[in-house]
Amino acid sequence: MLVFLLFACTEPNEVESSFEASFELGEAIPNAVEASFVSEEEGIATIEWSVDSRELRTTRPQPVSAGGLFEALVIGPPSGERATFRAVVETPSGERLVSGSEALTIPYEPADLPNVSAVGSLPGELPGHVFTSLITAQTTQLVVLNEDGRPVWFVKLPSNELVTASALARDGSGVLAMTTDMSLTAPQTVILHYGWDGRLIRRMILPDGHHDFVELPDGRIAWIQLEAGPITVSGESIDVAEDALRVSSWAETADVSGPPLFSFLRDWRAPEIVCDHQRHTLFYQGRELLDWTHANSLDYDAENDVFMLLTHHVDQAFVISAKDGALLNEIGFDEGDPLVDEGEPWSHAHSSTMSADKLLLFDNGLHYTPPRSRVVAYDVDTETGALTETQVLWEAEDRLVFALGDVKRLPGDELLTSWSTLGRITRTDANGEELWALETSVGAGTGRVEWLPELP
């Protein structure tokens, strides 16, 4: 009843039921409701909708011409709820033309989508949403979750595909995901671009792609690529898998015809100090190789036109020119004992937000005593390389996230953190106090995270 009372609260200049609008559940994702109507007048059109006692929400305004067809995708109604919709056109004179309202029951999410529950509540009249991936031994699913942990958008990937990185598309058209098909003899890595209607817009094979990618302002894709070759450590020649950085325009298969923009094998000398994780092996190009650098995070600093590349097994971040691939700076520290990282800036960090002078890292903490994970931020002196810690957030129970992990900064120095293998996403204030959290059902982990203050 309350939802109809919300719609019943008309404004003095509002004309009710002056036209009819159509609302239908999305074919690929039922939560993506397809709205359409023919406008009687020129104006600015929106779709207003609400669920039970929730606040009235509005899609982004779009211009519409008299007699013109208006179409919109309404993202946000949660699975298993009944939502009510209506269309509104505000004319140049300020009159609001309102369609009749229509209620739709949003189907429940698929049974294999892990359950997520919220702990606490987000401040603000209209809390935002979280884009992430939910990972189990059987499936990986891209999801958008509301403040209650309810899915409002989801795409299920084939059971053999693992998402290692994901992001919102720069043009607002949907999401990008880097997946690796683990069922193939030679695992195939692709970038998938899904629209908000749940349909696949395009895909690009990334030969030897590894772990992370970034979409550039001009629409090209940069990614981390594995490379194999010999290096010399303590006078001994050993065969290793290191990493390179490549950039390509969209194509069915990414362009790898020329040399990579940057290559550790070509442009960097391997350190003499060897961490035990570098003695782990992987199979690549039919050979068993030492997993030497294991780069896992790539970022682009537009202000300085540089790439930031983080290596997991070698605790360093690299500043690389986006113009010519020149290695401009190495952000690191004296490792000392490679098996004991207590007191050091980070220990095998994972996905992160990086620029030439600032680092925000998810620090897996594999070599701390005992091993335990945290988030840590640093200012970087670009001349001396000195690191100044500006923020730190330890996992609340000093637990270890042994793989993945991600963090994003929100306004007010709040942090949105994916404690991946623990199945938790937290929002904490500048002092590290937990404001709100999402928790998955047992056996499900979370991937990289993005905050959506507004839905598309």
Side-chain angles (χ1 to χ4, degrees):
M1 176 64 71
L2 181 56
V3 77
F4 292 100
L5 292 176
L6 285 171
F7 283 137
C9 297
T10 60
E11 298 183 15
N13 59 345
E14 191 167 278
V15 179
E16 294 186 78
S17 301
S18 60
F19 62 95
E20 292 301 320
S22 169
F23 302 95
E24 297 182 359
L25 300 176
E27 182 178 345
I29 303 174
N31 309 63
V33 173
E34 299 170 355
S36 64
F37 64 88
V38 175
S39 180
E40 298 174 349
E41 308 225 12
E42 175 188 358
I44 300 299
T46 57
I47 303 297
E48 295 181 344
W49 62 276
S50 184
V51 174
D52 294 337
S53 60
R54 301 290 185 185
E55 300 88 345
L56 189 66
R57 303 194 182 218
T58 304
T59 60
R60 294 176 182 174
Q62 300 180 47
V64 64
S65 59
L69 176 63
F70 176 86
E71 295 179 304
L73 202 62
V74 184
I75 307 294
S79 298
E81 299 287 351
R82 189 167 177 80
T84 303
F85 306 84
R86 72 177 183 181
V88 177
V89 176
E90 185 168 345
T91 68
S93 64
E95 188 176 47
R96 282 169 51 90
L97 309 179
V98 182
S99 76
S101 60
E102 183 175 345
L104 297 175
T105 298
I106 311 299
Y108 281 99
E109 65 271 24
D112 58 358
L113 188 66
N115 291 327
V116 180
S117 58
V119 178
S121 59
L122 283 170
E125 295 181 0
L126 292 177
H129 291 69
V130 169
F131 168 60
T132 189
S133 52
L134 298 179
I135 305 167
T136 70
Q138 291 76 36
T139 66
T140 298
Q141 307 204 36
L142 301 171
V143 296
V144 175
L145 304 170
N146 69 9
E147 64 271 22
D148 297 322
R150 298 295 298 151
V152 304
W153 185 90
F154 49 85
V155 169
K156 180 180 178 179
L157 300 174
S159 59
N160 52 321
E161 291 188 1
L162 173 67
V163 172
T164 58
S166 57
L168 303 175
R170 281 183 175 268
D171 63 1
S173 61
V175 305
L176 302 175
M178 184 183 211
T179 73
T180 299
D181 188 338
M182 305 303 294
S183 68
L184 302 176
T185 304
Q188 183 180 87
T189 299
V190 299
I191 295 288
L192 302 173
H193 182 182
Y194 285 100
W196 287 117
D197 60 1
R199 294 181 172 90
L200 182 64
I201 297 175
R202 54 185 173 175
R203 69 193 298 270
M204 178 165 63
I205 298 173
L206 303 182
D208 300 323
H210 180 233
H211 243 305
D212 202 7
F213 73 97
V214 63
E215 183 187 14
L216 301 178
D218 62 7
R220 293 178 301 158
I221 298 294
W223 75 97
I224 302 170
Q225 182 187 47
L226 282 174
E227 279 193 321
I231 64 171
T232 301
V233 177
S234 301
E236 177 189 0
S237 178
I238 56 177
D239 290 327
V240 302
E242 293 198 355
D243 296 280
L245 171 60
R246 282 196 176 271
V247 181
S248 173
S249 299
W250 277 91
E252 185 175 341
T253 299
D255 181 11
V256 293
S257 58
L261 181 68
F262 172 83
S263 164
F264 280 118
L265 287 171
R266 184 190 68 206
D267 304 317
W268 179 73
R269 182 178 177 182
E272 290 294 311
I273 296 177
V274 178
C275 164
D276 62 339
H277 289 91
Q278 292 170 287
R279 295 295 184 184
H280 292 179
T281 59
L282 54 79
F283 285 92
Y284 176 58
Q285 295 182 344
R287 294 184 292 165
E288 186 175 14
L289 303 169
L290 297 182
D291 187 8
W292 201 255
T293 49
H294 198 92
N296 63 12
S297 298
L298 179 65
D299 211 342
Y300 174 69
D301 179 351
E303 182 177 349
N304 296 290
D305 195 25
V306 296
F307 288 108
M308 305 294 301
L309 184 61
L310 180 73
T311 51
H312 188 59
H313 288 170
V314 180
D315 285 328
Q316 289 186 217
F318 297 82
V319 185
I320 300 164
S321 168
K323 290 186 176 66
D324 58 14
L327 180 56
L328 303 178
N329 192 18
E330 298 181 36
I331 303 172
F333 47 90
D334 184 4
E335 279 278 9
D337 185 342
L339 301 182
V340 180
D341 288 348
E342 201 70 33
E344 293 180 351
W346 63 84
S347 175
H348 294 356
H350 199 264
S351 39
S352 47
T353 304
M354 301 177 285
S355 66
D357 59 356
K358 291 186 183 296
L359 301 177
L360 177 61
L361 307 179
F362 186 94
D363 182 8
N364 290 98
L366 302 186
H367 288 308
Y368 294 141
T369 307
R372 61 202 188 282
S373 300
R374 64 176 185 162
V375 169
V376 64
Y378 291 98
D379 286 342
V380 182
D381 188 313
T382 56
E383 293 185 2
T384 66
L387 296 166
T388 302
E389 183 181 294
T390 58
Q391 198 170 7
V392 64
L393 174 69
W394 288 97
E395 200 283 321
E397 298 178 27
D398 282 343
R399 292 176 293 179
L400 176 69
V401 176
F402 59 85
L404 300 178
D406 194 20
V407 59
K408 296 293 188 298
R409 188 178 299 283
L410 304 182
D413 281 339
E414 292 185 1
L415 297 176
L416 182 72
T417 307
S418 171
W419 307 91
S420 299
T421 55
L422 301 179
R424 295 196 88 228
I425 294 173
T426 61
R427 181 168 172 173
T428 50
D429 65 17
N431 298 317
E433 181 180 351
E434 185 175 299
L435 304 173
W436 168 84
L438 294 177
E439 296 182 345
T440 67
S441 51
V442 175
T446 56
R448 303 194 187 199
V449 287
E450 297 277 356
W451 181 254
L452 285 77
E454 294 181 353
L455 290 168

